[in-house]
Amino acid sequence: MDPQPRIINVLLVEDDPGDVLMTREAFEEYLHNRLDVVTDGAAALAYLRREEPYTDAPRPDLVLLDLNLPRRDGREVLQEVKADEDLRHIPVIVLTTSQAEEDVLRSYQLHANAYVTKPVDFEGFIEAIKQIDHFFVSVVKLPTGS
């Protein structure tokens, strides 16, 4: 086991300001990873492809993706990411309020790495973010040098 946990780059794709704030608070208070945020699906794809205005953005090691987004919804983003040779290796965690079985099934059909329903209370939300972080930083081996 590494004495120092590896710092990873996380991209949060979320349009709800309250959820962005809670995620930022979780990262600042409990986690030591870098968090970047975009608020719509089109910006997410531009960020991941390092297009303007994200030409200097780091390649994320993990994407937290909401499904219900403006401009391009999360399903479209997921489909494009997993179809792109340069991006498909990046784990994408669907983090959404939807508990609909069709959303769960469709997300996995589009090769989401996990599907997490957002807890409605602050403590539950923070705990979910901490568990996702722990799993992908401490348990799972992520590709490096992407």
Side-chain angles (χ1 to χ4, degrees):
M1 191 143 222
D2 294 336
Q4 289 286 89
R6 185 164 81 96
I7 305 245
I8 65 168
N9 295 311
V10 178
L11 175 63
L12 174 65
V13 186
E14 174 61 66
D15 65 320
D16 182 298
D19 289 349
V20 170
L21 181 62
M22 284 194 294
T23 306
R24 283 193 191 281
E25 286 181 16
F27 271 72
E28 288 169 10
E29 185 76 22
Y30 304 105
L31 311 175
H32 303 290
N33 294 312
R34 176 189 169 120
L35 179 69
D36 287 332
V37 178
V38 293
T39 57
D40 67 66
L45 290 169
Y47 183 103
L48 289 164
R49 293 174 176 149
R50 296 180 176 148
E51 297 169 349
E52 286 295 332
Y54 306 105
T55 53
D56 294 328
R59 178 63 47 92
D61 299 297
L62 179 66
V63 175
L64 302 176
L65 177 66
D66 188 23
L67 288 183
N68 302 309
L69 297 166
R71 297 180 63 204
R72 304 284 297 274
D73 86 356
R75 295 158 200 84
E76 293 175 81
V77 173
L78 181 57
Q79 185 170 17
E80 287 201 36
V81 167
K82 294 303 181 177
D84 188 314
E85 185 74 33
D86 293 331
L87 303 175
R88 70 171 54 134
H89 69 279
I90 301 170
V92 177
I93 307 306
V94 173
L95 182 62
T96 187
T97 55
S98 174
Q99 296 183 31
E101 187 59 35
E102 64 264 21
D103 285 337
V104 176
L105 180 59
R106 183 73 181 131
S107 294
Y108 283 115
Q109 287 172 336
L110 294 171
H111 307 289
N113 296 84
Y115 190 100
V116 178
T117 302
K118 294 177 192 171
V120 292
D121 63 293
F122 179 75
E123 290 79 17
F125 187 89
I126 296 295
E127 189 57 34
I129 295 296
K130 286 166 60 176
Q131 287 182 19
I132 291 168
D133 180 82
H134 172 74
F135 184 71
F136 279 93
V137 173
S138 302
V139 178
V140 171
K141 176 77 173 147
L142 295 173
T144 56
S146 43

